[in-house]
Amino acid sequence: MNRSRHACPGSWAEVRWLVSRRWVLSVALLFLPLAAQAQSVSLQVIIPNPNDMPRTLGEWEGAADVVQVIVTNAGTASTDDLRIALQLRGQRRGEVARTDNGSPLQPRFVLGAGETRLLLWDEAIDPNAIRIADNLENEFRRDGLPEDVYLLCGQILDDAGASVSGPETCASFLVYEPDAPTAVYPIGGEAVNPEALVFQWAPSQDARSTYLLTVKPRFAGQSVVTAMQANPVQLDVEVATGSYLYLPSDAPWDLYPDAVGYVWQVQELRDGVPAGRDDGRSPAAAFVLREQPAFGDVDRFGAPAPPPPPSPGIQFEIGARTGASPEGYAATGLATTGLVASRQSFEAERARHAPAPPARVPVTLTGSATASFDVYSQSGLTRDRRPGGALLLNGQVTATVAGLYTIPLSLYLSTEDAGYQLPFNQIGLSPTFGGWATLHGGYFSTRFSNFTLGDARLLGGGFELEPGPARIALVSGISQQATTPDEFGRLGLFRQRLTAAQLGVGSEGGYLFWLTGLHATDDTNSLDAAVRRAETVRAPQENLVVSARFATPFLPGKLELDGEVAVGAYSEDTFAQKLVDLGEYGIPGFVESAFTPRTSSRVDLAAETALRVTPVQPFSIALKGQYVGPGFQSLGAPQLEVDVLDFVVNPTLTLPKGSLNLSVGVRTNDVAGTRLFGTQRTIINATGNVRPVPWGNLSVQFSNYGLRSSTDNDTLRIENVSRLISVSPGVQYVTGTLRHAVRASYSYQEFNDENIITGRLGDTQNHSGTLSYTFAWPSGLALTTSSTLVRGLTSSINSTIFTVNQTAAYAFLNRKLRTSLSLGYNQTETVATDYGFQGRLQLGYRVGRQHRFQLTAQVRAFDYGVERAGSNGFTETLGRLAYTLSL
C-alpha cells in the first residue's frame, strides 16, 4: 500500500515540492548571466607608500603616489552609473571616516566591456562626500588623521547602492607623526667656546628631511621663548644632517653687542614643508659664550688697567627747595624794603621767611643703558644680514628709593622691528616697595610656577604682594598679539589675553603652599572676519589651569622636598561646538563659569617633585621626577613638553679647589599609549672644574644623549647616541715684567645612528682644538695670538676649518683711551676651499666711571671655492658708534 501511494501522482504535496524546485532552478538559471557580470567588475585599492602617508586627506588629492584605485570590467557588457564607496578604519580608533554613498557629489563613471581604469583619490572621491566620525571630527579637521594603523576598504556600487564588486577589498597603511627634533648641544644656558661651536640635535630617520637651524640673540630681561619669538636673526641656515658647525663666514658673535646670551631652535622640514609634532620645531634652548678666564688686569680690549672700584651708582635727592635768587626776591619787592643790604642779609631773610624744607629722600640708580647707531653694507650676499642703518637703545636700570623701594626699568627700542608674536620694541616697569610689594606695568615677565605662568611675557599689569607669610598675586595682559598670515608661510594668530592669580603662604627657600589659577583665551574679533576662519590662521584657543605648589624643608639645608600638581583644561578650537549636557560627560556645572567645554576640549594632569638631600656640606644629591599627560596644555608655559615621564638624579660635589656636577636622567614618552610607539631618552651630563695651583686651572665636560624607540618596524626605528667630551686647561705666569697666559681647549663630538637601515648615513664626528697665547707689558701693550682647527667627518663629506687671529691692544691718555686692532685669516675645506679675511678696529674712551664711548669698524671678506646660494663670495662692512651709561 505504501508503495502504491508513492507511485500515485495524485499527491498534492509532492507536486508542490516538484514545482517549487523547478521554479528555483529556473530563476537561478535566469539570473546566472547577471551574477557572472557582477563578479566581472573588480576594485583594487593601492597605496604605494604605506609607511609614509600624509595626515590630511587634502594632501591625497591629485597625488599619484598616495592613493590609487584600479577598477576593471572583465565582462562583455558596459556598466553605467558606478561609484566607489570607501571606509577608513583605524586599529585603535575604529571607524574614522566613510563616504556618503547616497551623496550626489560622489563621482560617477562608466566602465566599458573589458575596460580597466586608474583613478586617483580626487577622481574617485569628492571631499564633500566624506563623513568623519563624530568623536574625531574636531581632531581630524585640525590635525588630520590621528596616529594609527589604518585599513582603507572599498567596493563598487551601482545606481541602486548595491555592491557589484563582491566583498570589500582593503589596503593597509600607517600614519606616524614623529617627535620634533631634540636639541642636544648646547642646552641649559651652558657656556660654549664660540671659536669651535657645533650645534647638535637628534634628527629624524626620514631621508627627505632637512633642518632649519635658527640662532637669535637674547637680551637682558627676556625669557627664552620671548627671545626666540621676537628677536632678530643671528643665523638662519638649512642643513641635511643632525649637526652644524658655526663657520667663520657666519655672522660674527658680536653682531648684537648688548646680547646677554643666545637661543636656538631647529625645525624639521620634509620636502620643504614643516614635519612632525609642533610644526617640527624643537623647544628653544639657551646658551652663553664662554668668557676667557681673567688675565691679571687685562680688560676686554686687552689693555692692562687697574680694576676700578665698584660704582655706588648715581645718587641724588628728591625734595622741594623753596625760595629764589636775590634777584627773584628783589622782583617781589623784598629788596626795596631795605631787608636785603648784602648777600648775607638776603640769605638770613630768606631762611626766616621760607618754610622748613622737607626731609630729603635719597634715590640710587644702578644698571646700565647703551645707545648705538650702526651702518652696514655688503656685496655678494643674496640678502643683507641686517639693515643698512639701525638705531638701538637697550638697558636695565633700577631705581632704589630710600633703600626701601626698587623700581626696575627694562627697555629695548630698535628701528629694526622684527616682532613676531610680541613687538620687538618693549618697555616695562616693575617697581618693588619695602621688599614685599611688586607692581608690574608695560612688558614684563614673572614666574608663578612651572605648570602655570612660566615662560610667557605679558603686555599689561599686575601686582605681587608678600605681607608676612602670605602671598597674593594677580597679573593680566596680552600674551600674543594678533597677526595676519603672510606670503612667507607665517600663520595668522588671534590676540590672546592671559590672566593668572596666586594665593598661598610661605616663600621660596622655606615652607610654602601656593594655589595658582591661569586662564587664557583668544579674541576671535581681533582678526577680520574674512581671514579668521582661514586654514592659514591658527584656531582660537582657550586654557584653564589650576595647580598646587608645595615645599617642605624637613631639615633645612639637609632634607628638602618641593613639587607641584596641576590639572589643565584646553580647547584647541573655540569655534568648535559647545557641550550642552555637561553631566553626560562627568563635568561639574560650575566649570562653565570659568571655561567653556567644547568638542575640541581635553583635560589632563601634570605633576613634578624634587627631593634634595645634603648628608655632608660638600656633597648633595637631588632626585627629580615629572609627569605631563598628553592632553595637558598651559599657554603660560609654551615650552612645556607633554606626554613625558622624567626621572633625574643630580649629585653635586663642591670642594675648595674644584667642583663636580653630575646629572643622569631618563625620559619616556607615550605614557598614555596614544602613539604608535614611544621613545626613551637617556641623558648623562658631567662637568668638573679644578684649580690645583693658583697659576693653573682645568675644566672638563662630558655629555651622553641616547634615544631609542620601542617599535619593531625597522623603517621607523630610532636608535642613536650623541656624545661630547671637552677638556680646557689654562696657565698664567710672570717672567720679569711680562705677564703670560696660555689657554687650550679640545672637544670631541660624535653622533652615531644605530638604526639597521639608516645606520652610518647620519654618523658625524667633530674634533676641535683651540690654542691662544697672550703676553702684556707694563706700558699697556698686550698681544694675543690664537688659532683654531676643526675637523668634521660625516658619511658623505669631510670638512676642515683653520683660523688664526692676531690682536694688539694699547691704552693711551692715562688709559682712558683704549685701542684694539685684530686681523684674522680663515680657511674652510669641504668639497672646495673657502678663504676669508677679517679686520677690526675698536676705540673706547671713558669719561669717569659712568660714561663710555666706543667706535668700531669691521671688514670681512670671503671667497668661496664653489658657488654657494648664488654667490662666489662676499664682502661686508660694519661701523658702530655706541654710548654706554653705567650707573
Side-chain angles (χ1 to χ4, degrees), residues 526-829:
S526 59
L527 292 179
D528 293 339
V531 300
R532 67 181 60 162
R533 287 184 176 268
E535 292 183 359
T536 53
V537 174
R538 180 171 180 173
Q541 309 165 84
E542 185 182 12
N543 185 212
L544 176 67
V545 182
V546 179
S547 85
R549 188 185 167 199
F550 59 89
T552 304
F554 297 106
L555 298 173
K558 296 289 186 182
L559 182 62
E560 301 173 331
L561 175 70
D562 62 45
E564 182 181 5
V565 179
V567 57
Y570 174 64
S571 290
E572 293 181 296
D573 185 359
T574 59
F575 286 146
Q577 183 180 358
K578 297 181 182 179
L579 299 181
V580 179
D581 187 1
L582 300 184
E584 180 182 350
Y585 299 92
I587 303 175
F590 67 84
V591 171
E592 197 169 12
S593 61
F595 179 83
T596 304
R598 304 176 183 273
T599 54
S600 66
S601 302
R602 61 178 189 254
V603 180
D604 215 327
L605 300 173
E608 67 176 1
T609 185
L611 178 66
R612 298 177 181 84
V613 182
T614 307
V616 293
Q617 191 54 46
F619 177 76
S620 66
I621 185 170
L623 307 175
K624 306 173 185 178
Q626 176 182 260
Y627 165 80
V628 183
F632 185 86
Q633 182 73 43
S634 175
L635 295 178
Q639 284 232 130
L640 182 67
E641 295 185 74
V642 301
D643 196 14
V644 296
L645 179 63
D646 296 340
F647 294 101
V648 178
V649 179
N650 178 207
T652 302
L653 178 64
T654 304
L655 299 173
K657 293 187 177 183
S659 63
L660 175 64
N661 187 295
L662 175 65
S663 178
V664 180
V666 176
R667 162 169 288 187
T668 303
N669 67 7
D670 193 28
V671 292
T674 58
R675 306 185 186 184
L676 279 180
F677 60 86
T679 59
Q680 186 176 75
R681 310 173 194 181
T682 303
I683 303 173
I684 302 174
N685 190 71
T687 57
N689 295 279
V690 61
R691 184 178 288 274
V693 292
W695 46 266
N697 66 281
L698 176 66
S699 298
V700 179
Q701 178 182 357
F702 170 79
S703 66
N704 185 95
Y705 179 96
L707 177 65
R708 174 178 295 181
S709 62
S710 59
T711 180
D712 294 329
N713 187 316
D714 289 335
T715 302
L716 300 178
R717 182 181 300 161
I718 301 173
E719 188 172 355
N720 51 56
V721 178
S722 175
R723 297 184 183 91
L724 167 70
I725 301 174
S726 175
V727 180
S728 302
V731 175
Q732 302 180 43
Y733 61 96
V734 177
T735 59
T737 59
L738 287 178
R739 289 170 297 165
H740 310 259
V742 181
R743 305 183 187 97
S745 176
Y746 168 78
S747 65
Y748 171 73
Q749 283 180 266
E750 69 173 8
F751 178 84
N752 293 330
D753 187 352
E754 307 293 342
N755 188 280
I756 297 176
I757 296 179
T758 62
R760 296 189 179 182
L761 295 178
D763 287 358
T764 63
Q765 296 179 346
N766 289 282
H767 301 263
S768 62
T770 300
L771 180 65
S772 70
Y773 173 53
T774 300
F775 57 100
W777 288 266
S779 62
L781 175 65
L783 299 177
T784 299
T785 304
S786 64
S787 180
T788 299
L789 178 64
V790 180
R791 179 68 171 163
L793 309 173
T794 69
S795 59
S796 58
I797 191 172
N798 298 333
S799 62
T800 302
I801 297 178
F802 172 74
T803 70
V804 59
N805 292 273
Q806 179 65 56
T807 299
Y810 193 72
F812 300 89
L813 302 178
N814 198 24
R815 293 178 176 171
K816 291 182 179 180
L817 176 63
R818 302 172 185 275
T819 63
S820 175
L821 176 63
S822 298
L823 298 174
Y825 168 78
N826 310 292
Q827 179 176 310
T828 303
E829 295 181 4

Side-chain angles (χ1 to χ4, degrees), residues 306-331:
S311 171
I314 292 181
Q315 297 185 352
F316 58 94
E317 297 169 342
I318 298 177
R321 295 193 179 206
T322 58
S325 66
E327 295 76 14
Y329 271 78

Side-chain angles (χ1 to χ4, degrees), residues 275-554:
R277 302 180 190 273
D278 302 320
D279 285 332
R281 288 189 177 91
S282 68
F287 66 95
V288 298
L289 301 183
R290 182 184 301 163
E291 295 184 0
Q292 299 294 348
F295 173 54
D297 54 2
V298 177
D299 70 359
R300 61 178 295 187
F301 291 102
S311 171
I314 292 181
Q315 297 185 352
F316 58 94
E317 297 169 342
I318 298 177
R321 295 193 179 206
T322 58
S325 66
E327 295 76 14
Y329 271 78
T332 59
L334 291 177
T336 61
T337 62
L339 296 176
V340 182
S342 65
R343 182 79 182 183
Q344 291 79 8
S345 61
F346 164 75
E347 295 293 349
E349 185 65 16
R350 185 177 68 173
R352 188 171 67 85
H353 286 278
R360 297 172 180 175
V361 182
V363 176
T364 301
L365 296 179
T366 57
S368 66
T370 299
S372 65
F373 175 68
D374 291 357
V375 177
Y376 172 83
S377 66
Q378 65 87 15
S379 62
L381 293 173
T382 55
R383 60 177 181 175
D384 292 345
R385 297 185 193 267
R386 56 187 300 136
L391 284 169
L392 182 75
L393 176 62
N394 183 36
Q396 294 282 311
V397 179
T398 300
T400 303
V401 182
L404 298 175
Y405 313 109
T406 60
I407 305 174
L409 171 67
S410 62
L411 56 93
Y412 194 95
L413 303 177
S414 173
T415 56
E416 183 186 1
D417 188 351
Y420 181 62
Q421 288 193 2
L422 294 173
F424 195 37
N425 295 330
Q426 303 179 8
I427 299 177
L429 199 65
S430 297
T432 299
F433 305 96
W436 63 273
T438 300
L439 303 181
H440 298 289
Y443 286 96
F444 67 95
S445 297
T446 187
R447 191 175 190 85
F448 281 9
S449 71
N450 291 340
F451 295 143
T452 56
L453 182 56
D455 301 320
R457 185 167 176 84
L458 303 180
L459 169 59
F463 62 85
E464 297 181 61
L465 308 178
E466 295 185 350
R471 175 172 171 80
I472 306 171
L474 174 66
V475 296
S476 182
I478 297 173
S479 55
Q480 175 180 281
Q481 295 283 6
T483 59
T484 56
D486 59 23
E487 66 275 15
F488 301 107
R490 185 175 68 176
L491 287 177
L493 300 170
F494 293 95
R495 181 171 60 246
Q496 184 179 101
R497 175 166 288 275
L498 184 149
T499 301
Q502 193 168 68
L503 178 65
V505 295
S507 60
E508 295 281 1
Y511 293 92
L512 68 84
F513 183 79
W514 295 345
L515 294 176
T516 306
L518 177 144
H519 181 263
T521 185
D522 287 359
D523 179 5
T524 55
N525 294 320
S526 59
L527 292 179
D528 293 339
V531 300
R532 67 181 60 162
R533 287 184 176 268
E535 292 183 359
T536 53
V537 174
R538 180 171 180 173
Q541 309 165 84
E542 185 182 12
N543 185 212
L544 176 67
V545 182
V546 179
S547 85
R549 188 185 167 199
F550 59 89
T552 304
F554 297 106

Side-chain angles (χ1 to χ4, degrees), residues 130-357:
I130 298 176
R131 300 293 175 261
I132 309 299
D134 293 340
N135 62 326
L136 295 175
E137 184 170 2
N138 285 287
E139 181 180 358
F140 180 85
R141 298 298 182 192
R142 183 186 65 252
D143 297 326
L145 293 172
E147 195 173 273
D148 207 342
V149 177
Y150 289 93
L151 282 178
L152 182 61
C153 302
Q155 293 176 303
I156 300 178
L157 306 182
D158 60 18
D159 58 345
S163 173
V164 296
S165 59
E168 62 181 15
T169 58
C170 302
S172 64
F173 66 90
L174 62 85
V175 170
Y176 167 61
E177 185 181 22
D179 288 328
T182 301
V184 175
Y185 181 84
I187 58 175
E190 62 186 302
V192 302
N193 179 9
E195 301 295 334
L197 174 55
V198 179
F199 292 94
Q200 200 165 71
W201 57 92
S204 167
Q205 300 305 114
D206 196 309
R208 297 172 303 164
S209 292
T210 58
Y211 305 92
L212 180 62
L213 171 64
T214 303
V215 182
K216 295 185 176 184
R218 181 183 182 187
F219 301 104
Q222 289 186 324
S223 68
V224 173
V225 172
T226 301
M228 199 69 232
Q229 291 175 345
N231 288 0
V233 174
Q234 170 82 18
L235 175 70
D236 194 2
V237 61
E238 186 173 340
V239 296
T241 60
S243 64
Y244 180 78
L245 173 64
Y246 202 91
L247 299 172
S249 56
D250 293 326
W253 285 112
D254 59 355
L255 188 62
Y256 300 96
D258 295 315
V260 297
Y262 295 86
V263 295
W264 69 284
Q265 186 178 64
V266 64
Q267 181 182 29
E268 181 178 352
L269 305 176
R270 192 170 300 161
D271 297 329
V273 178
R277 302 180 190 273
D278 302 320
D279 285 332
R281 288 189 177 91
S282 68
F287 66 95
V288 298
L289 301 183
R290 182 184 301 163
E291 295 184 0
Q292 299 294 348
F295 173 54
D297 54 2
V298 177
D299 70 359
R300 61 178 295 187
F301 291 102
S311 171
I314 292 181
Q315 297 185 352
F316 58 94
E317 297 169 342
I318 298 177
R321 295 193 179 206
T322 58
S325 66
E327 295 76 14
Y329 271 78
T332 59
L334 291 177
T336 61
T337 62
L339 296 176
V340 182
S342 65
R343 182 79 182 183
Q344 291 79 8
S345 61
F346 164 75
E347 295 293 349
E349 185 65 16
R350 185 177 68 173
R352 188 171 67 85
H353 286 278

